[in-house]
Structure formats: C-alpha cells, structure tokens
Amino acid sequence: MTVPPVCATRVSMRHTVLLAWVMLVLAPFGGHAQAPDAHAPDPRPAGERSPPSPASERSSPPAEAARPPADANRLPADATTHQTIDLPGRTLRFTATAGAIRLADEHGAPQADVAFIAFQQEDADHHTRPVTFVFNGGPGMASGWLNVGAVGPWRVKLVSQPSASPDPQPNAETWLDFTDLVFIDPPGTGYSRVLATGDEARRRIWSVDGDIALLAETVRRWVDRNDRSLSPKFILGESYGGFRGPRLVRRLASEEGVGVSGLVLLSPLLDAHEESGFADPFGWADRLPAVAAAARATHGPVSRADLADVEQYAATDYLADFLRGVRDPAAVERMSTRVAALTGLDPALVRRYQGRLDNDVVLHELAGAEHRVGSVYDATIQSADPFPHRPVSQYPDPVVEGFKPAVTSAMVALYHRFGWRPEGVYHLENDAIFGHWDWGRGMGRPQSLTALQAALALDPRLKVLVAHGLFDLRTPYFTTARLLAQMPDFGGTDRLRLAVYPGGHMFYSEDASRAAFRDDARGLYGG
C-alpha cells in the first residue's frame, strides 16, 4: 500500500492512533519479506544482459536484518555412498560424497556454506591420483552444467526442450577414468548459502576478488579434509569459471600453499572488456567467424579449418575498413559485400547494418524465413520465434532455458541418490548474483590474462587447455585466439593449447565434441 504525501491528504489523529495500535499488535507475527524469485526470467535474451554498473550505482541486495542464526541454515552433514557404473569396456567403482564446507571470517563469524559433490575412485593411490576442481560460470551458475552435462559419471541428454527426460544415465565420456572430480558451487548457487549478514559482507562474497579468495579457501579446505595434499591438482572452469581459473591458480599458490598442475578453460571469458566494446572493432571482428560457422552449418558439418577465409578477413581487411568509419561509403560497401558473401546472409540486410552484425540481428536472420530464432550460446540451436512479426524480439534463450530444467532435476535426483537432502531450492542459475556482482573499482574491466601469463611464467610444468565451440556468440572462439596470440612463448608447444569443436558455448551437448574434448583433456593429464 502506498501512503499519499502529507501535502495531498490529511490523516486524522484517530486514524493515526488506530494505525499505530494495529502495527503494534501485528509486529510479533511479522515475517520475512518474500525474496525475488531467483529463477524469474530476465526479459532480455540470456547472454545479452549488460554487465552491472559499479557497486556505488547499483541498488543494494534486500536487507538481511531478520536472517535466522547461521546454525538454522546449516546444510546436512556430509553423506558418502559407494557407487558402481558400467560403461563400454570398463566398470567404475567410486565413492560419491555430497556435503558442504563452512567458511568464516577472521572473527569466526560464519560467511557461507559451500556445497560440493566429490567423486573419488576406490582403491586408488591418492598420492598419485589427480583430483580436478570444477566450477561453472555466470557469475551465478552452479557446477551442475558440467556435472551432468559433460564430465561427471552420469549425464542427461541436453536438448532444447524443457520437458526432456532428466533421468541421469551413465556417462561414457566421464573424466572419472583419469581424475577424481570435485564439483563446487559458489555461495548462492546450487545448495550453497550465504550466511554473512549485512550488505557489505554480501558484496564482498559476490565480487571478483572476494569470490576467488572464498573458492581458493574452499579448495584448500577440501584438500586438507580428504588428505589430498600430495595429489596432482587440476582446475576445470566454464565461461566465468574460465575467468576464475587462472586467478585461482595464482591465489592457491600464493595464499593457500596449493600448487596446480593443469588448467582446463571451457568457453572462457578471459577479458571482461570484451563485454562493453560498443565502438571496439575487435568485438565485431571476433564474432564474424562464429556467425559464418553457424550459417555454413546449415549446409553440412563445419570445422575451424573451413573458416580460414573468414578468420583471415576478420583479422585484416575487416578491421581496416571498420576503422575508416561509417562515413566512408567505399569502406562500408566493401565490408557489406564481403560479410554477406562469407555468411550467406541477405546482402541488403548486411548493407543496412553497414557490415556490423550484432547478435540480435544474426539470431533472427539465420532462420528468419522459418520464423525461428537462435541461441546466443549456440546459433545453430533454434526455437520458434514467439513474436515472428517483429524484426527483433525478446525470447527465452533456446539453450539456457531449454536445457536448464533437465539439468536441475537431474542434479536434485543425484543428491537424493546420495542421501543428501537440504531444505530449500537448488539454484542451477541465480540471476540475483549476476545483478549484484561487484566487478571492481575504477574505469578498467577485470581480466584474467595477466594471471594466466604469470602462472605459466612461474611454473614450467603448468599446462593449459582452452576449449571453445564454433557456434558460440557469447564468448566467441576467435576472441580467445586473438588474446592468446599475444601471450609470450614460455617453452613447449603443448603448454598452452586452443581447441575448437563443433557446437556452442556448451559444445559438450554434441556427442562427438564431448568425446573429442575428453580425449584432449586426458592428454593434459598425461594419460
């Protein structure tokens, strides 16, 4: 109820007293205000949300003054079960532990309960058996995407259909053959919880630096708890998890005394500057090979080798004409003609946009004649356009919104199988985290290339595999190719490798790409 301003309405003394008496009587029965639904869809297409403004310009998260004591929110005790799965040519026996690690501040006040699922091969020598710590992105995504989508012992088929079966089946491409796996959910994702009270504490947890400090401590605590200090350690991070990866390597080594042997970055965002380059020619050039790949995929299989002509143009003449600007009609005509030829899009359409094709245009035009729209995460995965008579419209992303229900339900089913049943909702995606994320101070945007370069320079044994999908417009593979080309040669051609597979941001939804990715990753582990 909105109370009118005093200047517009007079409230009698009798009404005032009555209102005060009612509020006094009802006060003991007051409850928490209902929190915003973390699963409520953002009206913008997934992946096209603008990065949040600086913390000082954002609204604060809801007040937590009435938050119950931390022990009232405590997650269940760790639960360990013995599991066996039969796969082609082998049988895997392992333990599955679902649990949480409580983190506190320097005064001992609880800050967060960080949930994890750990799969460890039985009867293995923990002094030599590798262990991999797995993180997803967002920020605001749980590790369930990689758990039941790519590398865990069970997986669900990822199809753009919310009603698809969520029943997890044995995963022939699991990495458990060559490494133990620990899937970690940052606070606010999965079943992990923020326990700290006050806006400042939450801002610290949901920030670039605070997130890395918290996750590094979680890794070290798990290592100590499970006597894995002598095990080779690896990190697998997807999307923003790929941004986390290099920073975690440096933080673990410098602050937690934990060395990392290898790093796998899947569809990583290595430089957040790429998120806000309105007039930056690199952003437009980086997308061009992915757009051409998606367009050519309508005619048959596509590999990176098939895009050599697009990559060459994007890195040379396209940039030169872009820099000449839109007031140079000859440059605009050259760009429009060449882009149309490379992508197969309507020349008149490309000319209208002066050779600069943003994601909205591409995703509507690739299958616009059939009134379908594509996903920014994989431009070849499409759904019916809910608003076919609009040239550009907002719609649920076919990948994130199409895959999410099956992945969420599969994760809950696994937790129940392991006998770990927290109260509350499992958050595969929590948009509130992204909305309140503190990206840091100052004019610059954060990046992890410096951390990656420092880690490679410091440790000559560290190896890195960077993996991308051809059709990903969210974090285009050509962006990473361009950035990695600026890295010094630290010796050994196999220390830093970029692999590109058919598929999108979650290219592991494609059976052949998931298998190839597993084989490439296994080489990183030396087996």
Side-chain angles (χ1 to χ4, degrees):
M1 180 180 68
T2 301
V3 179
V6 174
C7 61
T9 303
R10 297 180 179 272
V11 182
S12 70
M13 182 64 70
R14 181 180 63 181
H15 289 170
T16 302
V17 173
L18 179 60
L19 177 62
W21 180 84
V22 170
M23 293 175 64
L24 180 64
V25 170
L26 294 180
F29 304 98
H32 302 293
Q34 184 174 359
D37 182 2
H39 294 296
D42 191 301
R44 295 163 290 176
E48 290 298 289
R49 303 161 190 161
S50 300
S53 55
S56 61
E57 299 177 11
R58 293 195 307 269
S59 60
S60 298
E64 302 275 350
R67 183 193 291 274
D71 285 344
N73 282 328
R74 183 177 288 276
L75 293 171
D78 295 3
T80 299
T81 58
H82 297 271
Q83 303 287 333
T84 301
I85 58 171
D86 293 319
L87 298 171
R90 79 267 195 205
T91 297
L92 298 183
R93 294 178 176 84
F94 56 95
T95 61
T97 301
I101 294 174
R102 172 157 292 189
L103 302 180
D105 64 14
E106 63 273 16
H107 305 295
Q111 299 296 292
D113 276 342
V114 181
F116 67 86
I117 291 180
F119 301 114
Q120 299 184 76
Q121 186 182 69
E122 293 190 334
D123 302 323
D125 182 357
H126 286 177
H127 292 174
T128 59
R129 169 85 169 165
V131 57
T132 300
F133 298 92
V134 185
F135 304 91
N136 215 277
M141 293 286 190
S143 61
W145 293 102
L146 290 172
N147 193 337
V148 297
V151 305
W154 295 274
R155 66 177 300 272
V156 292
K157 188 171 180 61
L158 298 179
V159 294
S160 182
Q161 188 178 82
S163 61
S165 172
D167 186 16
Q169 299 295 313
N171 179 17
E173 288 79 43
T174 180
W175 291 16
L176 198 54
D177 289 287
F178 52 88
T179 178
D180 291 339
L181 297 164
V182 184
F183 296 87
I184 296 175
D185 294 334
T189 71
Y191 284 123
S192 296
R193 295 172 178 174
V194 176
L195 303 178
T197 58
D199 293 347
E200 184 57 35
R202 178 166 294 216
R203 275 194 290 268
R204 183 174 63 254
I205 291 171
W206 288 351
S207 70
V208 171
D209 293 336
D211 171 74
I212 295 300
L214 181 148
L215 294 179
E217 182 182 351
T218 301
V219 169
R220 193 263 304 161
R221 292 272 300 278
W222 188 93
V223 167
D224 292 347
R225 180 188 293 186
N226 291 273
D227 192 23
R228 300 300 296 268
S229 60
L230 299 182
S231 301
K233 301 164 192 71
F234 292 77
I235 290 174
L236 166 61
E238 178 179 6
S239 196
Y240 188 83
F243 175 91
R244 288 176 168 127
R247 288 169 172 255
L248 280 171
V249 171
R250 293 295 303 122
R251 177 81 186 193
L252 282 166
S254 63
E255 301 296 331
E256 304 292 344
V258 176
V260 174
S261 300
L263 191 55
V264 182
L265 310 179
L266 195 163
S267 303
L269 171 69
L270 292 174
D271 185 354
H273 169 74
E274 303 301 328
E275 297 289 285
S276 57
F278 166 72
D280 183 350
F282 288 123
W284 299 93
D286 290 344
R287 276 196 298 269
L288 194 55
V291 172
R296 294 178 182 186
T298 62
H299 304 293
V302 180
S303 69
R304 187 183 178 188
D306 299 323
L307 300 170
D309 56 337
V310 190
E311 292 187 11
Q312 172 66 21
Y313 172 67
T316 54
D317 292 346
Y318 183 88
L319 288 174
D321 278 338
F322 190 105
L323 293 175
R324 290 185 173 91
V326 296
R327 297 183 183 180
D328 185 329
V332 170
E333 181 60 28
R334 285 192 299 269
M335 287 176 62
S336 300
T337 300
R338 189 73 174 126
V339 168
L342 291 171
T343 62
L345 293 173
D346 179 8
L349 172 85
V350 178
R351 191 169 290 107
R352 184 190 319 153
Y353 290 100
Q354 300 172 314
R356 297 157 169 81
L357 299 177
D358 65 24
N359 289 343
D360 282 337
V361 172
V362 170
L363 296 175
H364 279 80
E365 290 298 325
L366 283 177
E370 291 81 31
H371 299 302
R372 299 181 67 78
V373 286
S375 167
V376 70
Y377 293 93
D378 186 334
T380 67
I381 295 180
Q382 301 166 346
S383 65
D385 187 348
F387 308 105
H389 301 297
R390 300 178 185 175
V392 175
S393 61
Q394 297 172 345
Y395 55 91
D397 185 85
V399 167
V400 171
E401 297 303 319
F403 293 178
K404 186 164 59 176
V407 173
T408 299
S409 296
M411 285 303 304
V412 173
L414 287 184
Y415 277 116
H416 289 182
R417 181 180 300 179
F418 304 151
W420 202 69
R421 295 172 177 253
E423 296 292 332
V425 177
Y426 174 86
H427 293 283
L428 180 66
E429 177 185 21
N430 187 345
D431 283 343
I433 296 175
F434 187 91
H436 290 104
W437 196 256
D438 187 346
W439 295 88
R441 298 182 178 89
M443 295 293 291
R445 302 301 302 272
Q447 47 81 23
S448 288
L449 293 161
T450 301
L452 178 60
Q453 191 165 316
L456 285 166
L458 182 63
D459 188 349
R461 297 180 58 191
L462 177 67
K463 293 184 178 182
V464 181
L465 171 65
V466 185
H468 273 278
L470 280 173
F471 314 131
D472 181 9
L473 299 181
R474 187 69 184 91
T475 55
Y477 80 86
F478 200 55
T479 300
T480 296
R482 173 175 57 80
L483 295 174
L484 294 185
Q486 309 308 313
M487 300 285 285
D489 181 4
F490 293 109
T493 57
D494 62 339
R495 291 198 60 207
L496 176 60
R497 181 188 170 205
L498 172 64
V500 183
Y501 310 92
H505 198 74
M506 295 88 154
F507 60 79
Y508 47 79
S509 65
E510 301 289 334
D511 292 345
S513 295
R514 186 175 62 258
F517 177 47
R518 178 185 184 274
D519 290 344
D520 288 339
R522 187 165 193 164
L524 192 76
Y525 288 75

